Amino acid sequence: QTLPTIQHHSRLLPWVLFPAFFAASSALTLPVMLKGCSFSTAKPPPQSCDTFVVVGKTATVFGKNSDRPNTETHEVVRFPSSDHAEGSKLRCQYIEIPQAKHTYSVILSRPAWLWGAEMGANECGVCAGNEAVYSREAAKCDDGVKRLLGMDLVRLVLERAATAKEAVEIAGSLMEAHGQGGPCEDGGSWCYENSFLFADPNEAWVFETAGVSWWAAERVPKGKYRNISNGLSIRTPTLTHAGLLDAAKGGKWWSGEGESMDWKAAMLGARSASDDLEPEGREAAGLEWLQKLSGKEAAEKPFGFDEMAQILRDKRSGICMTGGFQSTGSQISILQAGESRGTIHWFTTNSDPSVGCYKPFAFGPGGSVGVPADKAPSTKDLWLAYNKAGRSKVGALQTTLREREASLCAKALQEGASPETFDNAVTEESALFA
């Protein structure tokens, strides 16, 4: 497959080439330059994670690479649905909030130290993933106060939302009630604002945040595709925080002219023409991939697992990231309405999707997640086994891993999958590193 033409931009290139330097230099004060926008932040600009969605006529395809420090262990975990007593409380990463009366079964891909998750899915066919972003309000979020993390919100909406639209409503209410903030790295102080992509079989939503509680959302209907890559991307919101427009006018972020506010321009402090805010870097590369693989030239083959895997394995653009920051987890989900067998989620459970094997999972009857956590094979141990083995041994296993993935994928798409399908695949793959 021919790679899309990647446009390199001198202001963004160092973040891709030297992520370890920026990750280690948290004390730096850097001016963030985004095509005509300028503001200061005491932390390095976001440099990782890419999330994609294609809302097709018969199915939605969701995909995400979770890019984190390459020494941070990643795991895939499941939690069953549950009913909770009226008035009960829930402890998230740092704060306690009211618990919902009912929570759905979920499968989550996350750094092992977190309560929340980088991405995941629930029994209703909703997927969610988050990314770091920075806005003109970043300092208000990064004020040393512990609130909800973006990863908390991923888990919370998956446990509580039956649709992507409900995920927006729940995320918005949680942002307004509790706000975002707090260290997003284990033992460190790195804090960031968040963007999210929520998807279900019928539509998707991009949900972006700024400061402690501001948010805006954009609907992605059937027949459309969307991607996010560490930057505010919504131009004309479908929904916003109720007080956003008045605050934007009062803060002189927006003139108040026209029927709607350009969210990206206002929250980045744009001073130039709107054309200067078009996607660049990994975001532009991801958009080119989506246009190529789901556009007219691909009309004879519906966008599916193979196409999303091809995007997530693209090292040339940095979508598949290696180095100090690395794609430590990866997820692909195919969401089909009214056909439970057709909704399948794949996870890599290793630190580089370009060499790992995607393994299929599907919720069982009644949203079953399979055996209890202490009985399931450890995805954390498999992740660590990949890292310990090194690139030479993993490289020698490439043919075996690709054949295994192709077989698992074909069988899952034809016959469906289950929690046991995933567990068996993890067990068999772990044996390769014994």
Side-chain angles (χ1 to χ4, degrees):
Q1 182 72 52
T2 303
L3 287 168
T5 301
I6 307 303
Q7 299 296 324
H8 295 294
H9 301 273
S10 60
R11 286 170 294 196
L12 296 182
L13 193 56
W15 307 351
V16 174
L17 295 180
F18 306 112
F21 170 76
F22 286 107
S25 305
S26 59
L28 289 174
T29 298
L30 301 176
V32 178
M33 300 300 295
L34 296 170
K35 285 188 167 184
C37 310
S38 179
F39 56 90
S40 293
T41 173
K43 298 294 173 67
Q47 59 204 357
S48 55
C49 288
D50 300 273
T51 312
F52 304 85
V53 70
V54 176
V55 186
K57 294 180 180 179
T58 60
T60 294
V61 185
F62 170 93
K64 181 191 170 182
N65 278 349
S66 168
D67 302 334
R68 301 283 302 181
N70 62 7
T71 57
E72 185 182 68
T73 307
H74 209 91
E75 64 181 356
V76 176
V77 293
R78 294 110 68 173
F79 298 97
S81 61
S82 183
D83 293 316
H84 307 278
E86 185 77 29
S88 60
K89 299 292 184 179
L90 170 67
R91 180 72 184 182
C92 300
Q93 188 66 38
Y94 299 122
I95 67 171
E96 191 175 79
I97 67 172
Q99 177 62 287
K101 291 182 179 180
H102 179 79
T103 51
Y104 296 114
S105 299
V106 296
I107 181 167
L108 307 173
S109 184
R110 67 183 188 181
W113 66 276
L114 276 174
W115 177 85
E118 282 275 306
M119 53 202 173
N122 71 16
E123 62 178 293
C124 303
V126 176
C127 288
N130 82 303
E131 311 207 1
V133 297
Y134 279 77
S135 80
R136 69 189 308 154
E137 292 283 276
K140 294 181 179 177
C141 171
D142 189 10
D143 59 357
V145 177
K146 293 179 178 178
R147 307 181 185 93
L148 290 175
L149 295 181
M151 289 79 81
D152 288 337
L153 287 167
V154 169
R155 178 170 176 177
L156 288 167
V157 299
L158 289 175
E159 289 186 336
R160 301 177 181 202
T163 66
K165 176 69 179 302
E166 280 189 18
V168 170
E169 295 167 351
I170 290 167
S173 65
L174 289 169
M175 280 285 294
E176 293 172 25
H178 307 288
Q180 63 181 349
C184 300
E185 59 179 335
D186 191 13
S189 60
W190 185 33
C191 175
Y192 49 76
E193 299 151 296
N194 294 269
S195 67
F196 303 82
L197 209 161
F198 305 136
D200 67 30
N202 300 305
E203 63 179 359
W205 286 79
V206 176
F207 182 90
E208 297 183 343
T209 70
V212 174
S213 59
W214 300 123
W215 62 268
E218 174 194 331
R219 181 174 180 260
V220 185
K222 280 188 178 294
K224 300 295 183 180
Y225 48 77
R226 193 69 156 77
N227 65 303
I228 54 175
S229 294
N230 289 128
L232 298 181
S233 62
I234 295 174
R235 308 304 300 274
T236 304
T238 308
L239 298 170
T240 67
H241 183 295
L244 176 65
L245 298 186
D246 287 341
K249 285 188 286 187
K252 301 188 184 304
W253 311 337
W254 175 51
S255 66
E257 298 176 358
E259 295 182 0
S260 61
M261 182 184 79
D262 185 327
W263 160 263
K264 181 176 181 178
M267 301 315 292
L268 289 181
R271 300 189 303 268
S272 59
S274 61
D275 286 346
D276 285 341
L277 293 174
E278 291 306 304
E280 60 181 358
R282 294 187 344 269
E283 184 183 2
L287 181 58
E288 289 181 42
W289 271 118
L290 291 175
Q291 290 169 337
K292 183 179 182 64
L293 297 180
S294 65
K296 292 182 179 179
E297 65 185 79
E300 70 280 358
K301 184 181 186 299
F303 190 97
F305 172 86
D306 290 339
E307 289 72 26
M308 187 62 80
Q310 189 174 359
I311 295 173
L312 295 176
R313 284 171 165 155
D314 176 19
K315 286 192 171 182
R316 180 182 175 187
S317 68
I319 290 172
C320 179
M321 187 171 287
T322 57
F325 259 55
Q326 191 152 314
S327 295
T328 54
S330 189
Q331 173 184 345
I332 298 173
S333 294
I334 296 180
L335 313 173
Q336 293 191 330
E339 186 183 351
S340 60
R341 193 181 75 181
T343 292
I344 303 172
H345 314 283
W346 285 265
F347 298 89
T348 52
T349 65
N350 82 296
S351 61
D352 182 350
S354 73
V355 298
C357 172
Y358 285 98
K359 293 164 282 295
F361 171 92
F363 293 94
S368 169
V369 295
V371 298
D374 60 347
K375 303 292 184 182
S378 172
T379 59
K380 185 193 303 184
D381 288 348
L382 179 55
W383 193 95
L384 290 169
Y386 264 93
N387 272 26
K388 183 179 179 180
R391 291 194 171 275
S392 178
K393 181 172 182 177
V394 174
L397 290 171
Q398 277 305 282
T399 299
T400 299
L401 290 169
R402 283 292 178 272
E403 289 175 350
R404 187 184 297 272
E405 179 182 279
S407 176
L408 287 167
C409 183
K411 187 173 182 179
L413 291 174
Q414 291 177 3
E415 303 175 12
S418 67
E420 291 73 27
T421 305
F422 182 79
D423 288 344
N424 292 338
V426 170
T427 298
E428 292 170 5
E429 194 170 320
S430 297
L432 297 175
F433 297 91

